[in-house]
């Protein structure tokens, strides 16, 4: 029997009337690929959320398919910032209230720009963290976009650079 999972992320979805499905894990996921495997979904339907910051303290959440890498230069150009880098794991927790791997667009909406890579648009359903390491949440991509009003822009590192 799985313990009941209730998190601020799930409350946001319920309060917004967004249809979603909780996908429990057998154990705490250690990576995007591990979480996708435990949920039985394509890793590219996993929304990987990377917290970036520039030298002046501007923050942004870059969201892309689970197997893709973010290109901080593309994010910087979109926001008109100077050099952007991924925030270190200690800062992720203090800024978002969530540990790395459990940050979602819903956990930061209204606090910082959210940029979603358009390659996620090909999926009707995407997966985000529930805010618990023991489950993920599946919802319609369009509902996620409608709820968090992101910028949709190419932020993927080009394959030749990986």
């Amino acid at each position: 029997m799985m313990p009941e999972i209730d998190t601020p992320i799930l409350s946001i979805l319920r309060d917004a009337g967004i249809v979603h499905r909780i996908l429990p894990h057998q154990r705490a996921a250690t990576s995007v690929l591990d979480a996708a495997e435990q949920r039985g979904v394509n890793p590219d339907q996993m929304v990987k959320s990377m917290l970036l910051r520039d030298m002046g303290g501007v923050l942004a959440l870059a969201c892309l398919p689970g197997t893709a890498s973010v290109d901080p230069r593309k994010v910087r150009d979109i926001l008109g910032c100077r050099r952007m880098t991924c925030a270190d794991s200690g800062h992720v927790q203090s800024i978002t209230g969530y540990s790395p791997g459990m940050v979602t667009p819903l956990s930061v909406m209204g606090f910082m720009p959210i940029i979603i890579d358009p390659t996620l648009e090909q999926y009707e359903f995407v997966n985000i963290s529930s805010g618990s390491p023991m489950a993920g949440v599946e919802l319609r991509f369009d509902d996620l976009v409608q709820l968090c009003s992101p910028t949709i822009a190419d932020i993927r590192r080009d394959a030749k650079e990986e």
Side-chain angles (χ1 to χ4, degrees):
M1 177 71 187
M2 193 177 131
E4 191 60 31
I5 291 178
D6 195 15
T7 66
I9 303 283
L10 297 175
S11 297
I12 290 168
L13 292 170
R14 276 196 308 271
D15 293 349
I18 293 192
V19 175
H20 60 281
R21 194 164 65 110
I22 297 174
L23 302 174
H25 297 170
Q26 292 71 47
R27 63 190 184 287
T30 56
S31 68
V32 168
L33 295 176
D34 180 34
E37 188 176 311
Q38 289 195 57
R39 296 177 199 175
V41 300
N42 175 340
D44 282 332
Q45 286 176 270
M46 303 283 289
V47 179
K48 178 160 67 177
S49 299
M50 304 296 297
L51 183 66
L52 290 106
R53 69 187 315 164
D54 84 340
M55 296 154 52
V58 172
L59 297 166
L61 192 69
C63 301
L64 52 170
T67 60
S69 298
V70 67
D71 185 338
R73 288 181 315 228
K74 290 180 179 179
V75 175
R76 177 195 71 200
D77 293 346
I78 291 162
L79 298 175
C81 294
R82 299 196 307 263
R83 201 174 74 103
M84 294 212 78
T85 55
C86 289
D88 67 62
S89 53
H91 284 117
V92 171
Q93 174 88 44
S94 63
I95 291 166
T96 66
Y98 289 91
S99 55
M102 291 199 293
V103 178
T104 75
L106 305 185
S107 49
V108 302
M109 61 184 185
F111 298 108
M112 67 183 70
I114 298 167
I115 305 164
I116 294 183
D117 191 85
T119 50
L120 284 164
E121 290 176 312
Q122 67 187 293
Y123 301 107
E124 182 180 1
F125 292 96
V126 293
N127 266 253
I128 61 172
S129 172
S130 65
S132 160
M134 293 307 295
V137 179
E138 182 177 81
L139 71 162
R140 283 193 149 78
F141 176 78
D142 292 345
D143 288 339
L144 180 64
V145 168
Q146 191 171 0
L147 195 56
C148 65
S149 306
T151 298
I152 307 278
D154 171 22
I155 53 172
R156 288 173 68 134
R157 192 177 294 273
D158 297 326
K160 65 181 181 298
E161 295 179 62
E162 290 199 38

